Amino acid sequence: MASLVAPDHFSPTEDAAALQKACTERLERERVIVMASLVVADHFSATEDAETIRKAFEGWGTNEKAIIEVLGHRNAAQRKQIRQAYEQLYEEDLVKRLESELTRDFEKAVYRWILDPADRDAVLANVALKKSNPDYPVIIEISCIRTPDELLEVRKAYQLRYKRSLEEDVAAHTTGDIRKLLVGLVSAYRYQGEEINARLANSEADLIHDAIKDKAFSHDEVIRILTTRSKAQLRATFNRYQEDQGTSITKNLLVENPDEILVALRTTIRGLNDPNKYFVKVLSNGIKRAGTDEDDLTRVIVTRAEKDLKEIKEEYYKKNSVSLDQAVAKDTTGDYKAFLLALLGNEE
């Protein structure tokens, strides 16, 4: 007598696809563990951590070092458990308490870090849209570099937090070609596989070339390609373009005094084509400015510390001949510096 219970419905194709997806997700999780810069403590107790943080709030002044020692070494799942344990123990929202106890760039970095990743991206997107001059690169970054499933979770988190859709708010804060591009990007659910159509890559590389030659940068077909094709297909198209034209699309989009849509298109292509190089450029620009761009610096480190910050650090060193850790240590101070260095995996 067999103990196996077979399902009523069976599809080899569906089962193979499910198995492939499971294997891909496992490989991605393993890659993330290797490439994350975050150093997670061997011992973890959400209750003990909640108690440690509570003690850090007591007495004269906050013990910022204790907060960094805890939160700077906990992954997203652990941070969520700490928030839950803190609320159960003290009937108080830890996020709100941290906001009241900490200040300036350190407070902003810790606040971004302690949120669930999708909720954090929802906050980042909302803050970017509410600026007097909306920070379009942040919307592009979230739309183009997160996986399709991650972007879907961001959209859900945005709706839960703000009672409006991300698409709705993007449309409300943009006009014309920028609206067309950004709404398309945030609405996308791209195919995530590695299969490509070489003939399609050739034809769409030609289409993009013609649009650039005619200075029709925001051509409907160009936006359609960038907002709907899989990342693998787009990389094939970008490579085909470079082979045919002897230069990259982004270089061909470099013009004097570029308008808003041109900058947005270049940012989109960079993010889709090579996220690590995109992040290095953001970090390099942020650190090299007369005053460090703490928003960009915080966003990249906080959002990539559990993902691929080791790879980004390697790419940063290749480009700048100085380590990201050294650059951050030189351009930041105090608790903010200590916290960023903890997430980089290199505490002073």
Side-chain angles (χ1 to χ4, degrees):
M1 296 291 290
S3 59
L4 176 67
V5 178
D8 296 330
H9 169 72
F10 168 68
S11 167
T13 304
E14 290 177 8
D15 287 355
L19 183 60
Q20 182 182 31
K21 182 180 179 183
C23 291
T24 301
E25 289 174 349
R26 179 178 176 181
L27 288 171
E28 178 60 20
R29 284 195 299 272
E30 291 173 352
R31 191 192 78 82
V32 163
I33 290 170
V34 171
M35 297 320 301
S37 64
L38 179 69
V39 179
V40 180
D42 295 329
H43 169 73
F44 170 68
S45 165
T47 301
E48 289 178 14
D49 284 349
E51 291 170 345
T52 299
I53 292 171
R54 179 71 172 196
K55 286 176 186 173
F57 297 149
E58 295 171 353
W60 291 100
T62 306
N63 184 350
E64 288 87 355
K65 185 179 179 182
I67 291 171
I68 294 169
E69 286 175 353
V70 173
L71 296 181
H73 298 283
R74 302 294 184 268
N75 61 33
Q78 292 170 339
R79 298 194 302 275
K80 186 172 185 176
Q81 290 177 55
I82 293 168
R83 294 200 311 270
Q84 292 169 341
Y86 187 94
E87 187 162 3
Q88 288 172 357
L89 286 169
Y90 306 110
E91 297 181 347
E92 180 180 48
D93 186 324
L94 176 57
V95 177
K96 290 181 179 177
R97 182 63 187 266
L98 285 166
E99 282 186 284
S100 68
E101 292 285 340
L102 310 179
T103 60
R104 304 179 68 180
D105 295 318
F106 179 50
E107 179 271 320
K108 190 181 292 185
V110 172
Y111 174 72
R112 302 276 193 268
W113 178 246
I114 201 168
L115 296 177
D116 290 336
D119 194 32
R120 173 205 301 145
D121 279 347
V123 170
L124 288 170
N126 184 259
V127 169
L129 289 170
K130 281 173 23 181
K131 290 183 178 180
S132 54
N133 292 313
D135 198 350
Y136 301 134
V138 174
I139 306 300
I140 293 169
E141 183 180 303
I142 292 169
S143 303
C144 294
I145 297 177
R146 307 305 186 256
T147 68
D149 286 333
E150 285 172 343
L151 179 55
L152 187 60
E153 290 305 310
V154 173
R155 289 161 64 189
K156 290 177 183 176
Y158 195 98
Q159 196 165 86
L160 183 65
R161 179 178 274 266
Y162 300 108
K163 312 308 176 192
R164 301 182 303 276
S165 71
L166 176 56
E167 302 93 311
E168 179 184 358
D169 273 5
V170 168
H173 288 84
T174 54
T175 58
D177 292 329
I178 282 283
R179 174 187 287 169
K180 194 162 49 176
L181 174 66
L182 295 190
V183 170
L185 290 174
V186 298
S187 304
Y189 187 85
R190 301 176 192 272
Y191 169 65
Q192 205 170 352
E194 291 300 315
E195 292 84 356
I196 64 162
N197 182 325
R199 184 177 296 177
L200 186 64
N202 293 344
S203 66
E204 294 192 335
D206 290 341
L207 190 156
I208 293 171
H209 170 67
D210 290 342
I212 292 174
K213 185 175 67 175
D214 296 338
K215 299 195 183 316
F217 303 119
S218 56
H219 193 287
D220 282 351
E221 287 298 284
V222 173
I223 290 178
R224 176 188 61 79
I225 291 166
L226 294 178
T227 57
T228 62
R229 296 297 184 207
S230 73
K231 293 178 184 179
Q233 183 66 41
L234 285 168
R235 283 192 291 270
T237 298
F238 300 153
N239 289 338
R240 181 80 257 176
Y241 184 101
Q242 182 148 1
E243 289 169 13
D244 290 345
Q245 309 307 323
T247 188
S248 68
I249 295 176
T250 50
K251 283 187 179 174
N252 272 351
L253 287 172
L254 269 175
V255 299
E256 194 173 344
N257 300 320
D259 60 11
E260 212 170 47
I261 185 62
L262 203 53
V263 173
L265 287 169
R266 293 181 72 233
T267 303
T268 298
I269 293 167
R270 280 204 187 99
L272 290 165
N273 192 37
D274 195 328
N276 286 348
K277 285 186 178 178
Y278 162 82
F279 282 125
V280 167
K281 188 169 185 65
V282 173
L283 290 166
S284 299
N285 288 344
I287 290 171
K288 287 177 182 175
R289 287 175 184 162
T292 303
D293 190 327
E294 286 82 4
D295 282 350
D296 282 352
L297 187 61
T298 298
R299 187 181 74 255
V300 175
I301 292 176
V302 163
T303 59
R304 307 317 294 182
E306 293 179 88
K307 293 275 189 182
D308 48 14
L309 196 49
K310 272 188 185 176
E311 288 181 324
I312 294 167
K313 286 169 67 173
E314 290 168 7
E315 193 70 37
Y316 186 93
Y317 185 79
K318 286 180 192 174
K319 179 177 172 61
N320 297 286
S321 299
V322 63
S323 73
L324 180 58
D325 305 59
Q326 288 175 303
V328 168
K330 183 180 177 183
D331 274 53
T332 57
T333 59
D335 299 315
Y336 177 57
K337 175 174 81 169
F339 185 60
L340 292 188
L341 289 174
L343 300 188
L344 284 163
N346 181 13
E347 298 178 84
E348 280 198 333

